[in-house]
Amino acid sequence: MTIAALMISACAYGPVVVDDYADASNYRELIAQAESDQKLQNAIDKNVLRVARSDGPVQNWSSGGDDIDSLIAASPGGKQNTVLVALRGNELWVSSYRGFGDEFGSDFTEYPVFGPSAGFDQPQNNRLFNLSQVGEGVWLETIRIERKIGHAKCSNSGSEAARLFSNRPFESLSRLEKSTLVAYVAGAKRKDIEVCAIYTARDGNLLDGRFFLPNGQSLPVFNREVPQYKLRPRSEIVAKLR
């Protein structure tokens, strides 16, 4: 399990514009702007170049750290009921081998964003479900495909599909929340680079993360800006969605 691709959205893509989307009147209009706003795309392009800059190859990079699959399998909840959580300040991202659509309370509304919605109901061994908290009661879920190189889990920066869940009226979103959402959606639509993550277990279900390109080139910006990782019971996240 990896949130390397989600980290691209978090570190590189958003939020990069704060005020540009304050006048959007609904979710559809807001999301549509992510496809056409050149200023946003230019900012994302600049940040992709920044985070993808390597400081050189690392020998035997993919054999370092711990096998994350083994760590998850050994957790009390196993693969189906354990999630990887990333925290940085007030930002929260979650990765799971199961989708979250059935976990949201009845007061949440689902908004299709892009890609086939049926994909969220078809888990596969190489399919990863990522959940980003855009704001209080506002979540973006995406699907990415991953592959394994040694101990490393690798995934593309783009997503196969995305959908939004919200228990708040659109009008209540702040300018920052709107901008964050648009930046995340714009990032999820791109497939610029593939990033590989190596995790090393510490005490208390904590994990350190190191990031590379698939050829073993180290990514210093990723490695400097990574959040704190934890393996947590899925039930802890579900409780936040109800």
Side-chain angles (χ1 to χ4, degrees):
M1 181 184 297
T2 177
I3 61 164
L6 182 57
M7 279 290 297
I8 295 176
S9 290
C11 287
Y13 291 150
V16 294
V17 181
V18 175
D19 295 329
D20 294 40
Y21 305 95
D23 295 330
S25 61
N26 55 62
Y27 283 111
R28 184 178 297 276
E29 178 182 339
L30 185 78
I31 291 169
Q33 291 183 24
E35 301 176 2
S36 59
D37 190 300
Q38 191 59 51
K39 181 178 178 181
L40 175 63
Q41 297 302 334
N42 291 342
I44 292 176
D45 289 340
K46 181 178 179 180
N47 278 298
V48 167
L49 292 175
R50 180 179 70 91
V51 300
R53 187 179 299 116
S54 171
D55 62 357
V58 176
Q59 289 189 344
N60 303 317
W61 69 278
S62 62
S63 60
D66 294 295
D67 187 326
I68 188 68
D69 290 332
S70 298
L71 294 177
I72 293 170
S75 299
K79 181 177 179 178
Q80 293 301 307
N81 292 297
T82 301
V83 297
L84 182 63
V85 177
L87 291 168
R88 185 177 60 193
N90 294 325
E91 298 172 313
L92 172 65
W93 314 294
V94 184
S95 289
S96 172
Y97 282 114
R98 294 168 54 196
F100 290 93
D102 294 337
E103 308 290 7
F104 285 91
S106 58
D107 56 337
F108 280 84
T109 300
E110 177 181 346
Y111 300 88
V113 177
F114 67 83
S117 59
F120 288 95
D121 301 320
Q122 300 172 1
Q124 299 176 1
N125 288 336
N126 64 341
R127 184 169 290 184
L128 190 68
F129 299 88
N130 298 299
L131 196 64
S132 310
Q133 187 170 20
V134 177
E136 186 65 33
V138 185
W139 301 81
L140 181 70
E141 184 180 23
T142 60
I143 301 174
R144 290 188 172 91
I145 306 300
E146 63 174 7
R147 67 184 180 117
K148 196 169 185 180
I149 302 177
H151 285 171
K153 284 301 188 73
C154 307
S155 53
N156 197 280
S157 57
S159 299
E160 302 296 311
R163 59 183 177 179
L164 184 72
F165 293 91
S166 178
N167 66 358
R168 293 167 51 193
F170 179 81
E171 293 76 12
S172 71
L173 268 68
S174 67
R175 289 184 173 184
L176 178 59
E177 288 171 334
K178 290 180 181 180
S179 178
T180 300
L181 173 59
V182 170
Y184 279 1
V185 170
K189 286 178 174 290
R190 300 169 63 103
K191 295 187 178 181
D192 298 279
I193 58 174
E194 185 179 17
V195 175
C196 301
I198 291 284
Y199 297 103
T200 302
R202 297 194 285 121
D203 293 338
N205 287 329
L206 298 177
L207 301 170
D208 293 323
R210 291 181 296 140
F211 296 88
F212 303 84
L213 296 175
N215 61 4
Q217 299 276 332
S218 179
L219 296 173
V221 175
F222 265 80
N223 293 330
R224 183 176 66 246
E225 297 183 0
V226 294
Q228 182 183 58
Y229 297 101
K230 295 181 179 180
L231 290 178
R232 303 305 301 161
R234 180 182 171 90
S235 58
E236 288 189 7
I237 301 302
V238 171
K240 297 178 181 293
L241 309 179
R242 296 179 174 173

